[in-house]
Amino acid sequence: MKPSVTKTWGRAMGRIIFWAVVMFLSGASAGPVLAQNDTGRVFTPAKQFPGIPSISGVPVPREGLPGFDLPNAPRDGRTLDVDWFPHKDGETPLAAWIRKNQQVQRPSQPEVIAATLEARAKELSISCTSSTLLACKQRDALFGAAASLLAGIVAAPDCDTAAKAFAPHYRSADPPEAISRNYDMACLGSIQPRREGAGVEKPKTAPPIISAGLRDPANGIMAMIGILERDGNPICGSLIRPDRTIVTARHCYDKHRSAFEAHSVTVRPASGLAGPWSIVGVKSKPAVDTDAAADDWVVLNVASAPDFAVPASTFAAMPFAGAVTVVGHFAHFKNVDYQDETLPGWKKGLRFPRDGLCQSVQAVRGCLQIACQTVRGFSGAPVFLPSAGADGKPQVVGFISQDYSAQAKCPPALIGATLAVASGQID
């Protein structure tokens, strides 16, 4: 194991063990306690990322870290309110930093995100005096999300470094093959088995984090995840519903509006058991077009087809931080090798974040924030909870948005999060 990987793995394992020991000694029943380093302060990755200033205890890089959908500058002189870090002067230092340092959505570095969540959980601990208080529940949920990210780092120790290397090439149509390959193998799981040296991955019917009952190709989440294609090329993700409609990000529709209006965009279930089907028009969208993530949705009609059979899903709320997952098409799928090279490109490119490396961290005013490996091609993809709801159906909590969509209705994105439209916003 490489020295850098050994260091990351050891640090993550040490923090997980620390939490478990303190919880056992204190008799705590919910949520890990705050991990500390040898100085007694909240862990920050400052040694890994020199020059990172600390704002309210949260490390913020001067040049911006990958993985965040940050807002554009506020309009008409309005200030940005940050729910995470209240500040007596109205605008937080973090909000001021965000206005001056814009960046785009990119692959996330899980160790940085875990540190951010720990710092926020520590702040919540100050106002937590009873386990029934909302602040206590939020604190425990954030600690749990941080612990899951750290466990994900242990299982995928190369991801943090690989994501950092891939981030500058995120929007490139032709990233360096070695960097793209390393990121793909280190941070993303693949539905179709990939080759790594002499080894071959096991085939998967869905992300392993999804409960067994939702992995069936014909009746699970893969049968309702739609891959939108223009002239045979995947462009976005979507959710297919039994009423012959799909839900996707409005910015996907706007970008390819002429193709949608010409009925040359199709959708196929990620299971590959049916379709593709033509998209034949808009059923509903926000009454007023804005660039807020909360308004980044559209419902489209699917043409009648004899093989149309899609299981139902349920829209659910995400009141606290916790594990989620998403499946989308990775645009740079060609830079790895597959067990079956005869498969079509849309199948080869199906990806999901590795276990633990996708956490919902906040839902505010219709804007869902997730700390996740969301890559080019994931826009519009539904965000799932790992288990079914009380009705036995898969639960959808949101849809991946994009970097520009963080205006008035949404608070500035937490450092380390990607914005999505919460499913409760959708008609």
Side-chain angles (χ1 to χ4, degrees):
M1 190 176 290
K2 294 177 288 187
S4 60
V5 173
T6 303
K7 184 178 179 181
T8 299
W9 184 92
R11 179 165 50 240
M13 277 299 298
R15 291 159 72 193
I16 293 172
I17 294 171
F18 176 86
W19 283 345
V21 171
V22 177
M23 286 178 67
F24 174 78
L25 294 176
S26 64
S29 60
V33 300
L34 183 68
Q36 295 180 330
N37 59 19
D38 55 5
T39 65
R41 299 183 62 187
V42 178
F43 167 81
T44 66
K47 293 182 179 179
Q48 286 184 284
F49 306 97
I52 297 179
S54 178
I55 297 179
S56 297
V58 176
V60 179
R62 298 183 188 280
E63 72 282 1
L65 282 178
F68 322 136
D69 283 349
L70 297 185
N72 298 319
R75 296 174 177 173
D76 305 322
R78 290 179 295 183
T79 58
L80 299 169
D81 67 311
V82 179
D83 296 338
W84 288 95
F85 305 103
H87 191 263
K88 64 180 181 179
D89 296 329
E91 182 181 49
T92 71
L94 179 57
W97 182 87
I98 287 173
R99 287 195 294 105
K100 297 177 181 178
N101 298 269
Q102 305 306 317
Q103 62 179 356
V104 298
Q105 172 194 343
R106 296 177 182 176
S108 62
Q109 290 178 250
E111 192 167 353
V112 176
I113 299 167
T116 305
L117 298 186
E118 290 175 355
R120 174 55 180 154
K122 182 180 180 182
E123 293 190 352
L124 286 171
S125 295
I126 298 174
S127 57
C128 174
T129 57
S130 168
S131 61
T132 61
L133 291 179
L134 179 61
C136 300
K137 294 179 180 180
Q138 291 176 332
R139 176 204 62 185
D140 292 344
L142 286 170
F143 275 136
S148 294
L149 285 167
L150 291 174
I153 293 171
V154 172
D158 289 324
C159 180
D160 206 79
T161 301
K164 184 179 181 181
F166 181 66
H169 308 284
Y170 168 70
R171 291 188 175 276
S172 171
D174 187 25
E177 183 174 339
I179 290 177
S180 173
R181 178 186 177 87
N182 288 342
Y183 172 73
D184 192 352
M185 299 300 294
C187 299
L188 301 175
S190 176
I191 298 297
Q192 301 300 325
R194 296 170 295 190
R195 291 187 177 277
E196 179 67 9
V200 178
E201 296 175 320
K202 294 181 179 180
K204 303 174 184 67
T205 57
I209 193 174
I210 290 292
S211 60
L214 303 181
R215 296 182 199 168
D216 179 72
N219 300 301
I221 68 166
M222 299 300 285
M224 61 185 67
I225 294 172
I227 304 301
L228 294 177
E229 296 176 313
R230 178 177 182 175
D231 299 324
N233 298 310
I235 54 175
C236 284
S238 67
L239 175 72
I240 313 175
R241 303 194 290 188
D243 64 352
R244 294 188 182 278
T245 64
I246 68 164
V247 182
T248 189
R250 196 192 76 245
H251 75 264
C252 290
Y253 177 81
D254 290 344
K255 183 176 180 179
H256 301 278
R257 182 184 295 269
S258 60
F260 276 104
E261 292 177 344
H263 300 171
S264 59
V265 175
T266 59
V267 61
R268 71 167 77 238
S271 64
L273 299 180
W277 306 302
S278 295
I279 307 299
V280 293
V282 175
K283 180 178 181 180
S284 62
K285 62 179 182 177
V288 179
D289 287 347
T290 74
D291 54 3
D295 294 328
D296 192 15
W297 62 269
V298 64
V299 179
L300 303 170
N301 291 310
V302 178
S304 178
D307 62 346
F308 190 94
V310 178
S313 58
T314 298
F315 282 177
M318 193 79 195
F320 300 107
V324 293
T325 194
V326 60
V327 177
H329 188 274
F330 184 39
H332 308 306
F333 70 93
K334 294 181 181 179
N335 289 333
V336 300
D337 300 319
Y338 298 86
Q339 181 182 28
D340 184 356
E341 291 291 356
T342 66
L343 292 170
W346 73 264
K347 273 192 174 182
K348 289 181 180 179
L350 293 176
R351 297 289 190 273
F352 54 86
R354 291 195 178 276
D355 281 3
L357 301 185
C358 193
Q359 303 288 321
S360 171
V361 295
Q362 189 183 40
V364 178
R365 298 195 295 278
C367 306
L368 185 69
Q369 299 184 25
I370 59 173
C372 194
Q373 298 300 323
T374 52
V375 293
R376 185 180 177 187
F378 275 41
S379 289
V383 181
F384 289 92
L385 293 179
S387 57
D391 58 3
K393 300 174 183 176
Q395 301 180 86
V396 178
V397 295
F399 296 83
I400 300 298
S401 185
Q402 67 165 10
D403 53 293
Y404 80 85
S405 51
Q407 279 289 352
K409 290 187 179 180
C410 302
L414 169 71
I415 296 301
T418 290
L419 283 175
V421 51
S423 57
Q425 295 293 114
I426 298 165
D427 295 341

